[in-house]
Amino acid sequence: MITYDALLEQFKQLLKQNGLKFTKQRELILKFLYENEGHFTPEDIYMLMKKNHPDVTIGIATVYRTLTLLEKEGIASSISFGVQGKKYELGEKEHHDHLICTRCGKIIEFFDDIIEQRQEAIAKQYNFKMQDHTMKIVGLCETCQQEEK
Amino acid sequence: MITYDALLEQFKQLLKQNGLKFTKQRELILKFLYENEGHFTPEDIYMLMKKNHPDVTIGIATVYRTLTLLEKEGIASSISFGVQGKKYELGEKEHHDHLICTRCGKIIEFFDDIIEQRQEAIAKQYNFKMQDHTMKIVGLCETCQQEEK
DNA sequence: CTTATTGCAAACGTTTTGCACGTTT
DNA sequence: AAACGTGCAAAACGTTTGCAATAAG
């Protein structure tokens, strides 16, 4: 588990390498993702930001721009929920897939070697140069199965 | 491969069972999906509908409503492209996953037993009651790999 | 002092909705 | 006749963009 200081340093390096600037807003968003386990929409982050840091002005556009940047740099990653938008998480961890509860929205992460291997094999079989892959299993989590009754 | 008449009959049954009505618009959209292999956005379908059936009035809202209905009834299925919307196809065929080319948008369908089995196993492991699952491999198709150079 | 970044509001593209009118049953 | 479906236009939704002001290097 990387420390926040190391992550921050890494981020600063990336910014410098690309001629970008280190701002209060970018720092706060990075910090937020580091401190909060879980998956958040840009809206979530924007709201919590305004609430927890009333002293810093921040616009929703900046949240979107920063999340896009973090994802491009490989620091964050997102899962898409179709029309309902995306949710972001810190992405320094290993690749993983998601189980999503359709009732309460809970997201469970998992990783399966066999699935990963089959994906590579399939891409190869169709002469596809794989850039990314996602898999989502949607259903009812344990708790919600009980409460459905 | 189901015949169109059988599909139509099935659709009429479903409508009747749910107290819904059989309309010209619903029929045309079903027919369109039956006759056209491939994946289409609601917009695609709307445009082609207006072009090929200038005699029938149809609104984009009806296309959305009908596609949602067809998907709910299991007759059609969709893949999501995030902000860029969804694409629909007739869903009477066997479950399958998708390879999507990020350059030309081509969609290749595949089915892999091992992946299916692992998905079931994983859902079970997390006490998840699986309702659906999707997997997308995105990358460059054979043709586009060549043209990238 | 140059360049990137910001917040704001307006624009965007897709999807949904309210409503009066039309069609199916 | 009752109920559902329709087209239309307006609204909603998440997201992106142009711009003048601001902050970082």
Side-chain angles (χ1 to χ4, degrees):
Chain A
M1 185 56 176
I2 195 173
T3 64
Y4 178 64
D5 283 353
L7 178 63
L8 186 60
E9 204 45 49
Q10 183 193 328
F11 185 41
K12 284 186 179 174
Q13 291 299 325
L14 281 167
L15 290 174
K16 188 169 288 181
Q17 277 165 40
N18 294 26
L20 304 176
K21 286 166 182 173
F22 179 71
T23 66
K24 194 83 200 155
Q25 289 84 349
R26 283 175 177 167
E27 181 179 7
L28 282 177
I29 292 170
L30 181 72
K31 195 170 181 186
F32 175 88
L33 290 174
Y34 183 82
E35 289 175 347
N36 296 83
E37 188 86 11
H39 301 74
F40 302 91
T41 64
E43 189 71 23
D44 290 339
I45 297 171
Y46 173 63
M47 299 299 255
L48 289 166
M49 225 68 186
K50 296 202 83 148
K51 192 174 154 218
N52 300 335
H53 303 276
D55 47 315
V56 182
T57 65
I58 191 160
I60 187 85
T62 297
V63 177
Y64 275 97
R65 289 187 278 229
T66 303
L67 289 171
T68 304
L69 173 65
L70 289 172
E71 185 162 30
K72 187 154 67 72
E73 296 299 344
I75 294 179
S77 61
S78 67
I79 1 173
S80 174
F81 286 80
V83 197
Q84 289 88 254
K86 289 180 176 179
K87 290 191 179 183
Y88 288 82
E89 64 180 325
L90 206 61
E92 30 85 41
K93 37 187 142 177
E94 213 180 346
H95 165 78
H96 57 263
D97 295 309
H98 297 97
L99 284 154
I100 301 165
C101 180
T102 50
R103 191 164 171 278
C104 71
K106 178 157 63 186
I107 298 172
I108 298 173
E109 301 171 348
F110 72 90
F111 178 84
D112 188 84
D113 252 326
I114 298 173
I115 290 181
E116 300 295 316
Q117 283 167 29
R118 288 302 302 155
Q119 287 174 333
E120 306 237 1
I122 288 158
K124 189 171 236 169
Q125 183 184 331
Y126 289 94
N127 291 310
F128 233 74
K129 186 173 171 190
M130 181 158 69
Q131 293 168 335
D132 194 18
H133 53 93
T134 59
M135 112 143 263
K136 284 193 287 201
I137 297 180
V138 305
L140 289 175
C141 72
E142 199 166 7
T143 316
C144 287
Q145 282 172 56
Q146 245 108 76
E147 293 179 11
E148 277 282 287
K149 291 164 195 165
Chain B
M1 184 57 176
I2 195 172
T3 64
Y4 179 64
D5 284 354
L7 178 64
L8 187 59
E9 204 45 50
Q10 182 193 328
F11 185 40
K12 284 185 179 174
Q13 290 300 324
L14 280 168
L15 291 174
K16 188 170 287 181
Q17 278 165 39
N18 294 314
L20 305 176
K21 287 166 181 169
F22 180 69
T23 65
K24 194 84 201 153
Q25 288 84 349
R26 283 176 178 168
E27 181 180 5
L28 281 178
I29 291 170
L30 182 71
K31 195 169 181 189
F32 175 87
L33 290 175
Y34 182 83
E35 290 177 346
N36 296 83
E37 186 86 12
H39 302 75
F40 301 92
T41 64
E43 188 71 23
D44 290 340
I45 296 171
Y46 173 63
M47 298 298 255
L48 289 166
M49 226 66 183
K50 298 204 83 153
K51 193 175 153 212
N52 300 334
H53 303 276
D55 47 315
V56 183
T57 65
I58 191 160
I60 187 85
T62 297
V63 177
Y64 275 97
R65 289 187 277 230
T66 302
L67 289 171
T68 303
L69 172 65
L70 289 172
E71 184 161 30
K72 186 154 68 72
E73 297 300 343
I75 294 179
S77 61
S78 67
I79 1 173
S80 174
F81 287 80
V83 197
Q84 288 87 252
K86 289 180 176 179
K87 291 191 178 182
Y88 288 82
E89 63 180 324
L90 205 61
E92 30 86 43
K93 36 188 143 175
E94 213 179 346
H95 165 78
H96 57 262
D97 295 308
H98 296 97
L99 282 156
I100 301 165
C101 180
T102 50
R103 191 163 171 279
C104 70
K106 177 158 63 186
I107 299 172
I108 299 173
E109 301 172 348
F110 71 90
F111 179 83
D112 187 83
D113 253 324
I114 298 173
I115 290 181
E116 300 296 315
Q117 284 167 29
R118 290 302 303 155
Q119 287 174 333
E120 306 240 0
I122 288 159
K124 188 170 237 170
Q125 182 186 332
Y126 288 95
N127 292 311
F128 234 74
K129 186 174 171 190
M130 180 158 69
Q131 294 168 335
D132 192 20
H133 54 92
T134 59
M135 112 144 264
K136 283 193 290 202
I137 297 179
V138 305
L140 289 175
C141 72
E142 199 167 4
T143 317
C144 287
Q145 282 172 54
Q146 246 108 74
E147 294 180 10
E148 277 282 287
K149 291 162 196 167

